[in-house]
Amino acid sequence: MFKRFPWFSCILSLLLSTALYQPVNAIELDEATLTVPLNTSGKTTILTPEQVKRGKRLFNNTCSQCHNGGITKTNPNVGLDPEGLSLATPPRDNIEGLIDYMKNPTSYDGAESIAELHPSIKSAEIFPKMRNLTDDDLFTIAGHILIQPKVVLEKWGGGKIYY
């Protein structure tokens, strides 16, 4: 059959190779996955696929040295998982809360500024990677952080068990 229809083997090879190289944890980025909390009042926003892609790139370039996989290397008790973000003061489990944190970070209980210890817009002179980030950049980074639990599930912020 392959000798009679040589194009058939090419198509079959293409279909098999495409199926074999799909990421195991890949899920379709549907509207539910792309919908994230905007603020503490319950308002949500839907990220575009472009924002997701850009947020991942910016997160990897700016944040992943200390937060690879949603963990916090300097303090394993505080991660970027939904529970950890929601229990912070103020809550950081929404876009506005994360942007506020990236501009002016505070301790987990919100009592004191940690801008000299944690990269932020406020401390961009100490942390050069923060210098050129715009509000749109911070929005997409926050979006990336918030959709990861939907994409990689319990691995996000799972610590040494997964990373």
Side-chain angles (χ1 to χ4, degrees):
M1 180 170 166
F2 293 122
K3 289 182 181 179
R4 198 166 163 199
F5 301 106
W7 52 266
F8 182 76
S9 63
C10 291
I11 292 173
L12 183 61
S13 295
L14 179 65
L15 289 172
L16 286 174
S17 66
T18 303
L20 293 175
Y21 292 106
Q22 293 298 317
V24 174
N25 290 332
I27 63 170
E28 185 177 331
L29 294 178
D30 58 7
E31 189 172 315
T33 304
L34 297 173
T35 302
V36 295
L38 181 63
N39 54 37
T40 55
S41 68
K43 189 171 181 182
T44 61
T45 187
I46 301 172
L47 301 170
T48 66
E50 293 78 23
Q51 287 173 315
V52 171
K53 183 178 178 181
R54 190 162 163 256
K56 179 180 181 177
R57 181 180 52 80
L58 288 168
F59 180 88
N60 287 339
N61 289 336
T62 309
C63 312
S64 68
Q65 184 175 352
C66 295
H67 293 290
N68 188 30
I71 63 164
T72 301
K73 288 183 181 178
T74 57
N75 184 355
N77 296 319
V78 179
L80 300 179
D81 57 285
E83 182 182 13
L85 293 172
S86 69
L87 295 174
T89 302
R92 298 174 184 142
D93 60 346
N94 60 78
I95 296 279
E96 290 177 2
L98 284 169
I99 290 173
D100 178 60
Y101 183 81
M102 288 184 274
K103 287 184 174 184
N104 186 21
T106 58
S107 57
Y108 195 70
D109 62 3
E112 59 188 75
S113 174
I114 58 168
E116 291 184 10
L117 304 173
H118 191 281
S120 66
I121 300 301
K122 183 176 182 178
S123 60
E125 70 281 351
I126 302 170
F127 301 101
K129 288 186 176 187
M130 301 300 288
R131 287 185 187 150
N132 298 319
L133 294 179
T134 65
D135 283 348
D136 286 341
D137 294 335
L138 299 179
F139 185 96
T140 59
I141 291 170
H144 171 76
I145 292 168
L146 294 172
I147 68 163
Q148 286 309 292
K150 298 177 186 180
V151 176
V152 296
L153 307 173
E154 70 274 355
K155 286 185 178 182
W156 184 251
K160 291 181 180 181
I161 297 170
Y162 300 106
Y163 298 99

